Amino acid sequence: MAAPAETWLEKSAPICGDKADFEKAFKLDPVAAIMSTSWGRFQIMGAYMTKASDPLLKNAVTTPEGAKEFWKKYQTEGNAIGDKMMILWFKKIKPQAAAVATNCAASGDWRPFATLYNGGGCCTITNGKWYHLKLKAAYKGAVEKCEPKTPPAT
């Protein structure tokens, strides 16, 4: 069973606010709180749910009742919902992302995908995040778990 979603919320507090901050905003405007929060392991913005066909996601950003239903379900099924949002990002928000990721896997340079996902400043000296290097290491680790231990042919 996946860890409860609030585990992530509590861990991310120093970066982006905590669960109490979210709940305060949620009481004021549930839809705005959902739309302005990044969700799941992949931190997909709630505003992207406007493009969803899944009723749980779509309703979360259209009605207060839908937002309340989403939040209740997210607290027990956060990882599964976050995965749905990542699929939404690939399919509807950045449909070119799969091709970009394939090219990055072949070249070993993950800057184009990191930039597509996180924006232009994601791989600069000034922000210190180096997302492209984190993606490269994550991909290498995933490939090492596969048999055979080589990336799939592109």
Side-chain angles (χ1 to χ4, degrees):
M1 183 174 178
E6 71 183 23
T7 301
W8 173 84
L9 286 169
E10 291 166 358
K11 284 182 180 178
S12 63
I15 300 168
C16 59
D18 61 16
K19 186 177 177 184
D21 290 336
F22 171 80
E23 288 178 339
K24 214 182 298 180
F26 191 79
K27 284 179 184 175
L28 294 172
D29 188 335
V31 172
I34 297 290
M35 289 183 77
S36 61
T37 299
S38 297
W39 297 95
R41 294 178 281 210
F42 306 106
Q43 295 294 279
I44 304 298
M45 285 302 301
Y48 293 147
M49 288 191 251
T50 59
K51 305 277 188 195
S53 54
D54 180 296
L56 179 71
L57 301 181
K58 185 74 167 181
N59 293 340
V61 294
T62 54
T63 69
E65 295 77 23
K68 290 172 186 171
E69 180 185 355
F70 172 86
W71 176 231
K72 183 179 180 182
K73 195 162 187 169
Y74 186 83
Q75 291 180 76
T76 58
E77 300 175 34
N79 287 337
I81 292 170
D83 292 349
K84 281 184 181 183
M85 293 181 70
M86 187 67 192
I87 292 167
L88 170 69
W89 184 84
F90 268 97
K91 286 186 172 182
K92 302 250 178 115
I93 307 305
K94 300 288 182 177
Q96 72 276 29
V100 172
T102 300
N103 291 338
C104 293
S107 71
D109 179 5
W110 284 89
R111 272 179 240 259
F113 187 83
T115 300
L116 182 67
Y117 191 75
N118 292 298
C122 71
C123 306
T124 63
I125 291 172
T126 55
N127 85 355
K129 302 233 188 260
W130 302 106
Y131 289 127
H132 62 300
L133 299 178
K134 292 175 183 179
L135 280 167
K136 184 176 184 174
Y139 179 74
K140 182 180 178 195
V143 168
E144 288 172 357
K145 292 177 185 174
C146 295
E147 290 297 332
K149 301 210 181 301
T150 56
T154 55

